[in-house]
Amino acid sequence: MIVSVFGMGHVGLITAVMLGRFFDVICVEIDEEKLIRLRGGEVIFYEPGFDQTFNKVRDKLEFTDDASYAINTSDISFIAVGTPTKTDHSQDHSYLASVLQSIGEALKEKDSRHLVVIKSTILPGTSENLVIPILEHSSGKKHGEGFSVLINPEFSREGEALHDLQTPDKIVIGAHDFSTMNDFEEILKMVYVKNNVPLIKTNYVNAEMIKYAQNAFLATKISFINTIANMCEKIPSADVEIISKALGLDHRISSHFLRAGLGYGGSCLPKDIEVLSNLGRKIGYEPTLLDVVALVNEHQPQRVVTTAEEHLGSLLDQVVSLLGLAFKPGTDDIREAPSLRVIESLLEKGAKVRVYDPKALSKVENIFGNLIEYYKSTEDCLDGSDCCILVTEWDEFRSLKPDIFLKMKTPFVIDGRRGISHISKVVEYHAVGLGKESQTLW
Ligand code: UDX
């Protein structure tokens, strides 16, 4: 069987590579520069272990910008184009609509039936009110006759995508008839190594809503534990790490997504909360909880800057070194990364900002240019600085020798991710969610 994948972003390329282990895959991308890089065998983002998997299946992948060729050569198309947020907080469907239009036009000429699988994150109602009407209009064919649409949301995480795609916790498919779901199930059985992956077969709106509800819940857990962490900082000897561990042992809560820090970033959680909340208002429900989750997250990066100010006084001309810039370890992605907020705030206060990250330096340089200084090692970044803030908990920071911090002018360290507590004895150590023994409560 030949399959096609539209949109070579993170989800699209990883999906194509996973499918390439079993099928020939036509990968459609309209960005010419991306296409050239992919044809040259370049992996266009950092994802641990991904380049080896990519190289193994490279012969099975064909990269093109020709939608008509892809539709006429394949039996199934996976759509993984981005659905960003507009300034009015609604979802931008322009990439999706444009891909659907070209698929529909190509379907006009096709005799056999085609299955269109939507992996892009779309709001409830989008399949029935946008996807199917565009395909019907541009192809001149009826849904269920010339083509079928199926929703298959993606739950994999950046940095863990290969693992998540091979052994997902669940698979959700939404369609309007069981025969389409059953055809797709046969393909899923070939792709997923793990047996007995729970399969939720449902209608379109539920499949669409599950993705938003899941990301909103994960974000809620993070803002919740950050709230507890912020209170712990004001309570002598309180430690959010111990509280979080205890909470996680209760199976009703689970230990995941209870790490306090500088808040959630990335291409999904912040955007999905914003769009879901906007939908709530549009359909007549005020989603207060979602708004508060987003608000807590918005304020969270600022807290480490406040801690620095409280202890150093004015930050004017103080040298502040940030360790880690990516929105989380294991990726070079800086979309909505808390580091960006921390840098902006430090610059506003007149600090001299130095940064180091194992993967994301060049992306941050594209934003801040010569406003800040970029270092290729932790050691150089810390040398002579007044304050260090751990922003992203890369493994290499966890194993840093404490002596390195003694190269700072004043070894004052704020651990924004609870990743370097092993240095707490040799520096003046402050951490998210850690109350100082010297504080008084009442
Ligand atoms: C997320 C969803 O988890 C995934 O299911 C969906 O397919 C895409 O969006 P991703 O954006 O890759 O995945 O990152 P994730 O691992 O969810 O982390 C999101 C953010 O939350 C990161 O900034 C991370 O540092 C932060 N986080 C996560 C915490 O602050 N505390 C935690 O306990 C967990």
Side-chain angles (χ1 to χ4, degrees), residues 10-11 121 154-160 164 211 214-215 218 221-222 225-226 255-270 272 297 326-329 331 333 336-338 391-393 417:
H10 193 268
V11 170
T121 302
E154 185 54 58
F155 300 105
S156 66
R157 297 159 294 172
E158 286 186 33
E160 314 274 349
D164 290 354
K211 173 71 189 262
Q214 172 152 327
N215 277 350
L218 295 174
K221 281 189 93 174
I222 298 170
I225 201 66
N226 283 337
S255 59
H256 302 285
F257 278 70
L258 281 184
R259 275 181 292 110
L262 298 186
Y264 56 81
S267 63
C268 293
L269 264 51
D272 291 353
N297 197 58
F327 85 95
K328 66 173 187 178
T331 177
D333 197 340
E336 302 293 330
V391 180
T392 312
E393 69 281 29
R417 295 283 184 183

Side-chain angles (χ1 to χ4, degrees), residues 84-104:
T85 313
K86 292 201 244 178
T87 44
D88 67 357
H89 314 290
S90 65
Q91 193 164 52
D92 180 351
H93 295 126
S94 53
Y95 301 123
L96 182 65
S98 143
V99 161
L100 292 168
Q101 178 73 26
S102 45
I103 291 177

Side-chain angles (χ1 to χ4, degrees), residues 262 301 304-305 322 338-347 389 391:
L262 298 186
V304 285
V305 179
L322 303 190
S339 62
L340 307 180
R341 293 267 176 87
V342 176
I343 295 172
E344 278 161 15
S345 174
L346 288 170
L347 287 175
I389 305 176
V391 180

